[in-house]
C-alpha cells in the first residue's frame, strides 16, 4: 500500500521537480501539498502548485493549502535571483490558475493529516520550516503523531549557498528551524552535504525526456533551463537536485548513508554540530547513480503506446 505523504514546499524549480517525482512514485500517495514563503512569496508558490497540478494531473488530487507568508521573526528573503520572479524560470504561457485562498490554512491541514494517518504519515519539507514550527505551536500533540519528517536544509560539514556557512532554507527562517530541532521529532535532514552530490547533467534530462515527448516533457526542459544555466555558472556539472533528493530519500532512505547528530542553529541559519544526544539524522554520502536513475525514470513517464487501429 502506498504510504501517505504531505509535501510542504516553496516552489521553486527543484521543488517542482520534487513534486513531479512524488506524483510518479507508486510507493507514496501525496495526500496534501502545503506552501510556504521561501523561494517566492507564498501566493506565487500557490500559483506554481496549481500550474504543476494542471500540467501533471496527479491522482489522487492532493489537498492544497496555503501556509505562512513570512518567516517567524524576520523579513522574507526570497530565492528569485535563482528561480526567477515567478519561481519557475519566468516562462510565458502557463494555463490560467485558480486564485489562491485569502487565508492560510496549512497548519490545520498538517494537523488534520497527522491525526488522520497517525504514525504512517511522512512530512517532506522542501522549504523553510515555518509551517511546521507554527503547527508545533498550535498542536504539538498532532505533530508528535507524524511518523517521519524528511527536510531539505542545512550545510553541516560543507559551505553554505547563501552565506559561507548557511543554506537557503535554514537562512530564511532560523527561528523555525530551531523550534523544529528542539521538538524531539523523527527528523531526517537532507543538507547540502548530500544534495551537492545529486547533480543532473544537462544531457541526462534531454535524453530521458526524449522518450516522453509532450507538453509535460517540454515544460520540464523549459523551466529547468534557468537552473542549469545558473548552476553551471557557479561551477556545478549540471542542475543540483536538492529537493528531488529529499523526496527520493523519503521514498527510499537506502539511497543515502545517515549519521545521527546533534545540531544547533546559528543566528543566520548555520547548522552547527554540537555534543550531546542526537536531535536529527543527516544524509551524508549518497548513491548518486541510483538516485539519478530513479529520478529520470520517473520524472516524465513514457506515454503509453497508441494501439494500432484495426
Ligand atoms: C534549497 O533552497 C531552495 O532554493 C531550493 O528549493 C532548496 O529547497 C536549497 O538550498
Ligand atoms: Ca525548496
Amino acid at each position: 500500500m502506498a504510504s501517505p505523504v504531505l509535501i510542504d514546499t516553496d516552489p521553486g524549480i527543484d521543488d517542482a521537480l520534487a513534486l513531479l517525482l512524488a506524483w510518479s512514485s507508486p510507493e507514496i500517495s501525496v495526500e496534501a501539498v502545503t506552501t510556504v514563503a521561501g523561494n517566492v512569496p507564498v501566493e506565487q508558490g500557490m500559483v506554481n502548485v496549481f500550474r504543476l497540478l494542471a500540467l501533471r494531473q496527479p491522482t489522487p488530487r492532493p489537498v492544497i493549502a496555503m501556509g505562512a507568508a513570512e518567516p517567524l521573526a524576520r523579513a522574507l528573503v526570497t530565492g528569485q535571483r535563482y528561480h526567477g520572479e515567478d519561481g519557475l524560470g519566468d516562462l510565458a504561457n502557463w494555463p490560467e490558475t485558480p486564485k489562491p485562498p485569502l487565508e492560510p490554512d496549512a497548519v490545520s491541514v498538517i494537523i488534520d493529516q497527522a491525526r488522520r494517518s497517525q504514525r504512517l504519515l511522512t512530512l517532506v519539507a522542501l522549504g523553510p520550516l515555518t509551517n511546521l514550527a507554527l503547527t508545533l505551536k498550535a498542536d504539538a500533540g498532532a505533530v508528535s503523531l507524524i511518523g517521519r519528517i524528511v527536510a531539505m536544509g542545512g550545510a553541516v560539514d560543507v559551505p553554505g549557498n547563501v552565506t559561507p556557512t548557511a543554506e537557503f532554507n535554514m537562512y530564511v527562517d532560523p527561528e523555525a528551524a530551531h523550534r523544529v530541532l528542539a521538538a524531539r521529532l523523527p527528523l531526517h535532514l537532507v543538507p547540502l552535504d548530500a544534495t551537492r552530490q545529486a547533480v543532473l547533467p544537462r544531457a541526462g534530462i534531454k535524453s530521458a525526456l526524449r522518450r516522453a515527448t509532450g507538453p509535460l516533457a517540454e515544460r520540464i526542459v523549459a523551466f529547468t533551463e534557468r537552473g542549469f544555466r545558473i548552476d553551471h555558472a557557479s561551477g556545478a556539472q549540471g542542475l543540483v537536485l536538492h529537493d528531488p533528493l529529499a523526496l527520493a530519500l523519503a521514498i527510499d532512505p537506502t539511497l543515502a548513508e545517515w549519521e545521527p547528530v546533534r545540531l544547533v542553529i546559528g543566528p543566520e541559519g548555520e547548522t552547527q554540530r554540537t555534543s550531546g544526544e542526537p536531535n536529527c539524522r543527516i544524509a551524508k554520502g549518497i548513491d548518486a547513480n541510483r538516485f539519478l536513475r530513479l529520478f529520470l525514470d520517473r520524472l516524465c513517464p513514457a506515454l503509453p503506446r497508441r494501439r494500432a487501429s484495426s
Side-chain angles (χ1 to χ4, degrees), residues 10 14-15 39 83 126 152 161 167-169 192 242-243:
D10 60 337
D14 61 327
D15 300 73
N39 288 324
H83 297 270
L126 304 176
M152 191 283 134
N161 59 357
E167 178 278 332
F168 179 79
N169 291 337
L192 295 180
H242 304 287
D243 292 342

Side-chain angles (χ1 to χ4, degrees), residues 38-50:
N39 288 324
V40 284
V42 72
E43 293 82 5
Q44 182 62 43
M46 289 296 286
V47 169
N48 292 347
V49 171
F50 288 134

Side-chain angles (χ1 to χ4, degrees), residues 257-277:
E257 283 156 14
W258 298 86
E259 182 190 351
V261 295
R262 183 167 187 84
L263 295 180
V264 284
I265 305 291
E268 299 303 325
E270 304 87 344
T271 37
Q272 295 154 341
R273 290 171 182 269
T274 185
S275 56
E277 204 188 312

